[in-house]
Amino acid sequence: MALMPPITVPAPQPRGLRYGLFAAANGPLALPEHGRGGGVQYVPETCGHAHTYPVDCPDDSPAELKIFDPGPDTVVFDPFVVYGSLNCGSAGVSQSDLIRRVTANLVAGEQTQAESALADELAAASAGLGTATDIVDAVSRLEQWLYGAATADYGYVGYIHASPDVAAYAGQAYLIEDQGPVKRTPLNTIWSIGGGYPEGTLFISGQVTVWRSADILVPPLDQVFNRSTNQYNILAEREYVVGFDCFANSIELDLGGSP
């Protein structure tokens, strides 16, 4: 037992956010003002394909042998709001401390919420590749689907999205390599690993981008103070849009069968 009451000290500061979507994706980029209410739309530049034709005096003209692909469709991604909250009494705490604490709550959890929103988008776009027997089988089939000429034939670096429990199995199978700030498979596909992705499902997609509003909104504290209970009910909010290019699919994985 301590000989005297403890002394109050500043709280230890976080070492940094865990690895996840914010490290793996493009961004977070600044979300334009109109995008906060209307989302974003763009024409992806990563969805193209190329073809071949023979050069040895074909019977038909080369132009007749060539395939002309349609341009990619415009993609649209809706906005969503992520918030942190705090219910706290007014005694012994400054308003600046309250704002700092509720902002810290938002920052601690917003990556998980962004991952969860992206997982919903990926699930809606996925036809599904069945069930994998182990982590090697899962990664193999996902990458074959995205990069294989018989399927998506995606020419750029893709993303595999997975829940945290996948990381240890993938590492044991030498499927995770640290390259600078991101983790990649041996084929260079980027891992996005986080708590917002559902357990038992792995997704693969084209390029992923995150947009978010630059400012965190905290209402004036005098507007959220309940005088009857002497309590603050505080929110810290900011708007997000998360999107992916071109292709997405998924595979189920029973980790009990992994090596």
Side-chain angles (χ1 to χ4, degrees):
M1 180 180 295
L3 298 179
M4 60 186 65
I7 185 172
T8 300
V9 299
Q13 293 303 295
R15 293 288 299 273
L17 292 176
R18 63 162 173 82
Y19 181 81
L21 178 63
F22 290 173
N26 290 333
L29 305 179
L31 179 62
E33 185 68 29
H34 181 76
R36 296 183 177 190
V40 303
Q41 64 179 24
Y42 62 95
V43 178
E45 298 186 358
T46 62
C47 304
H49 301 279
H51 309 277
T52 61
Y53 72 92
V55 297
D56 54 341
C57 300
D59 294 334
D60 298 320
S61 70
E64 293 174 349
L65 295 175
K66 294 178 180 177
I67 298 172
F68 293 87
D69 295 314
D73 294 331
T74 298
V75 294
V76 180
F77 296 101
D78 293 330
F80 56 93
V81 178
V82 180
Y83 71 90
S85 62
L86 180 65
N87 173 257
C88 185
S90 60
V93 61
S94 68
Q95 289 197 352
S96 61
D97 281 342
L98 292 175
I99 293 172
R100 177 178 52 78
R101 290 178 186 177
V102 74
T103 300
N105 289 349
L106 169 64
V107 172
E110 61 186 339
Q111 180 171 223
T112 297
Q113 298 306 314
E115 290 163 348
S116 180
L118 176 59
D120 289 343
E121 296 278 3
L122 296 170
S126 298
L129 297 173
T131 301
T133 58
D134 56 47
I135 187 62
V136 176
D137 183 40
V139 172
S140 172
R141 289 164 63 183
L142 288 172
E143 291 185 324
Q144 177 61 34
W145 179 86
L146 186 64
Y147 302 130
T151 47
D153 187 25
Y154 187 69
Y156 293 91
V157 174
Y159 288 72
I160 293 178
H161 311 263
S163 56
D165 52 351
V166 170
Y169 291 94
Q172 183 184 41
Y174 303 101
L175 292 173
I176 293 183
E177 302 175 355
D178 288 330
Q179 296 186 20
V182 300
K183 300 181 185 297
R184 299 177 184 263
T185 72
L187 196 57
N188 236 26
T189 306
I190 296 172
W191 285 98
S192 178
I193 300 170
Y197 300 115
E199 293 183 47
T201 302
L202 275 70
F203 298 99
I204 195 165
S205 73
Q207 179 171 261
V208 177
T209 304
V210 176
W211 293 264
R212 72 181 178 193
S213 56
D215 299 325
I216 295 175
L217 175 62
V218 179
L221 296 194
D222 59 353
Q223 296 181 10
V224 296
F225 182 61
N226 188 330
R227 298 187 181 279
S228 64
T229 61
N230 205 34
Q231 294 282 307
Y232 287 101
N233 291 305
I234 313 170
L235 294 176
E237 303 178 338
R238 62 178 157 189
E239 297 89 352
Y240 273 84
V241 174
V242 182
F244 64 91
D245 289 2
C246 312
F247 308 107
N249 215 333
S250 62
I251 196 166
E252 300 303 309
L253 173 63
D254 180 3
L255 288 173
S258 294

